[in-house]
Amino acid sequence: MTIVKTISEIRALRQKLKGSVGFVPTMGFLHEGHLALVKRAKAENSAVIVSIYVNPAQFGPREDFGAYPRDLDRDLELLRKEGTDIVFVPSDDEMYPHEFSSWVDVEKVAERLEGASRPGHFRGVATIVAKLFNIVQPTRAYFGQKDAQQVVVIKRMVADLSMNPEVVIVPTVRENDGLAMSSRNVYLSPRERQAATILFKALTLARQLRRDGEKDAEKIRRKMTALIRKEPLAQIDYVSIADAGTLEELDLIDRPAVASLAVRIGKTRLIDNMPLE
Ligand code: AMP
């Protein structure tokens, strides 16, 4: 496994690779969710490149950029075990050189839900992913369903700007009690960790209501909201039942839909989602 820090180094290595390249962009502090992406990339490509970069541009001024968990040595050990070929660990200066002024702004789909709660978040995400695609030139790029809106935003960007990589989506990896794995779960105290299961419970309720034939999206939102309110540590940011392709809120569920939510547990903001078939 080769670890590189500069754009020129990774470009030189990339040029020597023959066959398909699978790319997994991450912010590090890796868990089984990230590793599921790496495993899938490994199974489908001749070589796997993973990036680890906590992108300051996708954090708001009052968000957790400074506190975001980091453990590069542990991450590299996990990636080595998965048979990763190259790990790209750039510095801020490498990614945002002096006078950096070009941004990728995806409209509409990036403005709702996470985009409304976290202004500028998807501008940061789309810009760094576009930049990483230009540097790594992957055949396929792997993203988690855990960040459902990110997936829709990236797919929109790739289609609109005629980018090359095939975008592959990997299902959400969960803890035994349903909590979606997330680097941010380490922020939770034992009591908060217990309370955090309310997200999965609310999504499971949505899926069950839908399976039982419920087509009224507002009824499902209301029942999810009522369930979450029973958890004293939980503070709802949003509860959404939306079109799976565009993330526009639905009244009537007459097409593939996704239930998604953002909930604060104490100071920690968690997101999760579940496709409603
Ligand atoms: P992050 O390091 O949080 O930026 O995540 C890097 C990639 O891993 C993104 O594509 C995430 O959607 C994906 N990911 C994070 N958590 C999970 C999970 N629990 N299951 C599947 N993919 C995940």
Side-chain angles (χ1 to χ4, degrees):
M1 187 170 83
T2 314
I3 300 153
V4 292
K5 293 184 174 171
T6 65
I7 294 169
S8 61
E9 280 172 292
I10 192 155
R11 277 196 203 281
L13 287 175
R14 171 66 181 98
Q15 276 189 344
K16 286 190 222 145
L17 292 176
K18 294 189 176 55
S20 63
V21 170
F23 175 50
V24 182
T26 82
M27 298 204 300
F29 210 70
L30 304 179
H31 50 66
E32 285 297 326
H34 297 111
L35 298 183
L37 273 60
V38 177
K39 287 183 171 90
R40 179 84 177 266
K42 183 86 189 160
E44 296 179 351
N45 300 279
S46 327
V48 174
I49 301 180
V50 176
S51 64
I52 298 178
Y53 180 59
V54 185
N55 173 31
Q58 71 190 68
F59 289 78
R62 280 178 296 280
E63 293 182 2
D64 58 344
F65 174 68
Y68 197 83
R70 294 160 168 91
D71 190 342
L72 185 59
D73 290 343
R74 182 172 161 276
D75 288 349
L76 294 176
E77 195 45 44
L78 289 169
L79 292 176
R80 203 184 308 276
K81 282 190 196 140
E82 296 299 337
T84 306
D85 296 278
I86 302 172
V87 187
F88 181 46
V89 192
S91 66
D92 289 341
D93 288 345
E94 192 73 6
M95 297 311 267
Y96 295 102
H98 185 56
E99 303 230 326
F100 184 95
S101 5
S102 306
W103 299 92
V104 179
D105 245 315
V106 178
E107 296 177 345
K108 289 190 256 192
V109 65
E111 289 158 12
R112 11 190 190 267
L113 303 173
E114 286 301 286
S117 293
R118 308 180 64 190
H121 171 67
F122 285 119
R123 183 186 198 238
V125 170
T127 302
I128 206 71
V129 170
K131 180 155 177 142
L132 288 166
F133 282 2
N134 282 333
I135 295 166
V136 172
Q137 304 276 321
T139 316
R140 301 186 183 86
Y142 294 81
F143 294 87
Q145 173 64 29
K146 159 80 173 31
D147 298 281
Q149 193 175 7
Q150 173 168 279
V151 162
V152 177
V153 168
I154 299 294
K155 280 188 170 172
R156 185 75 263 148
M157 175 184 80
V158 165
D160 288 351
L161 301 183
S162 308
M163 293 180 170
N164 278 320
E166 177 193 336
V167 175
V168 182
I169 312 309
V170 178
T172 303
V173 178
R174 300 178 178 283
E175 304 284 358
N176 288 335
D177 61 4
L179 179 67
M181 290 197 182
S182 163
S183 307
R184 290 190 167 97
N185 290 349
V186 293
Y187 296 150
L188 302 168
S189 71
R191 171 67 189 95
E192 289 171 342
R193 171 65 187 77
Q194 166 60 33
T197 57
I198 199 67
L199 282 85
F200 181 68
K201 286 177 188 147
L203 293 169
T204 307
L205 172 65
R207 187 176 56 189
Q208 195 53 50
L209 290 166
R210 181 71 198 94
R211 281 186 180 159
D212 292 345
E214 184 57 77
K215 288 192 157 199
D216 183 336
E218 189 53 26
K219 272 194 190 156
I220 298 183
R221 280 185 213 103
R222 275 207 299 269
K223 287 183 178 168
M224 292 171 76
T225 302
L227 179 68
I228 299 166
R229 288 208 177 122
K230 286 187 190 157
E231 171 49 65
L233 296 188
Q235 187 79 38
I236 296 174
D237 198 343
Y238 61 77
V239 170
S240 158
I241 306 288
D243 179 303
T246 65
L247 295 182
E248 274 173 296
E249 288 304 311
L250 292 176
D251 296 323
L252 181 69
I253 308 179
D254 57 357
R255 63 193 96 164
V258 59
S260 60
L261 37 69
V263 175
R264 259 171 232 284
I265 304 288
K267 287 199 174 84
T268 305
R269 186 173 180 282
L270 299 176
I271 60 169
D272 199 356
N273 70 87
M274 202 176 278
L276 304 177
E277 61 276 24

